[in-house]
Amino acid sequence: MSLKKVYRKTGWLGAVVLLLTACEGSQSALDPAGSAAELIARLWWPTLFVATLVTLLVLTLLAVAVFRAHKKHAELPLSVRQSRNLVIAGGIILPLAATIPFALSSFSIGRTIHAPLPDDALTVEVIGKQWWWEVHYLDEAGDRIATTANEIHIPVDEPIRFLLSSDNVIHSFWVPNLQGKTDMIPGRTNLTSMTADEPGVYRGQCAEYCGTQHALMAFLLVAEAPEAFDDWLAHQRQPAREPATDAQARGREVFLEAECADCHTIRGTPADGEDGPDLTHIASRQTLAGATVPNRIGHLGGWITDPQHIKPGNKMPPSELSPEELQTLLGYLESLE
Ligand code: HEC
Ligand SMILES: [Cu+2]
């Protein structure tokens, strides 16, 4: 239910309760599932508390001042000396006392959550695109061993290194439940790391306005048991499955003959385009187009026919396939687990 509806039905109290419960969920910095996010949340709550107290104090003083002004005091209520002491206490000592502890703990938490990782930590390279995420897994020599898009798998309880960059505009990589934001800046590689303490599917979101479809530039981060992750990665390294039926083989022909292959790669076929997501194992992903719609055959068909309807302004053109071509193409793509 939307906030507006809740407000209409229950008034302010219901709306406030809803906002508080919004702290939970798969895209909330206040529902940490990893050590870095835990520290960030631990700093956030006292900051909110102290900031609320200071706001209330200031508003109360303001109310007192406004109220007293009506009383038409002929003489000044305080001596010059008293006023000066008040300015020193309220204008210098109080703000410093309220902010210095936060500055220090923010600095120290920043160092902890960005501490260097061991050299052999699993490394994932993520490149921000308009408006999706290109993902490569690197081996210890730094060579790319597997490529995917919009869905990142990691093993739990293991610190993972992320190399972040962009070849277009500035994006920001953010998985609120696990770690703070890190910008992806053209021409440089930024580093971040995260450890998931609990298995789960967390939603990541671009956190730096990057054009029309910035809001639909999301991804899923799947944290799973190490064995499940190893199986997943071994599978992603494989080339695409060969068509198992004649219909699938025809679907592959459609893909290669339509313009799809100019922009998309399917490893193991001649399709080696680089402007769109790698589709080698597209059927293994949970969502399409930057976590915009679930990866079901209906959405896939809708996406291929008219991607501009689902995500207006994105860089994939509509296609003009006959219904028969579309059906076989869908059958083939669905087989690419
Ligand atoms: C001009 C380049 C271009 C062409 C041609 C093109 N695509 Fe795309 N495709 C893209 C881009 C870019 C995206 C990512 C859009 C986004 O999420 O913002 C995409 C996304 C997709 C996705 C979702 C992938 C994912 O990881 O979520 C599928 C599936 C797809 N395209 C299939 C096709 C098929 C099938 C064809 C041929 C009929 C085709 N594309 C033609 C550029 C292209
Ligand atoms: Cu972005």
Side-chain angles (χ1 to χ4, degrees), residues 223-235:
E224 55 199 358
E227 308 77 52
F229 169 76
D230 290 342
D231 290 348
W232 177 85
L233 185 60
H235 183 68

Side-chain angles (χ1 to χ4, degrees), residues 1 3 14-32 44-45 176-177:
M1 214 191 293
L3 192 57
V16 167
V17 169
L18 182 81
L19 280 177
L20 287 177
T21 53
C23 300
E24 282 172 24
S26 64
Q27 189 183 315
S28 171
L30 303 179
D31 190 4
W44 192 87
W45 285 107
N177 297 66

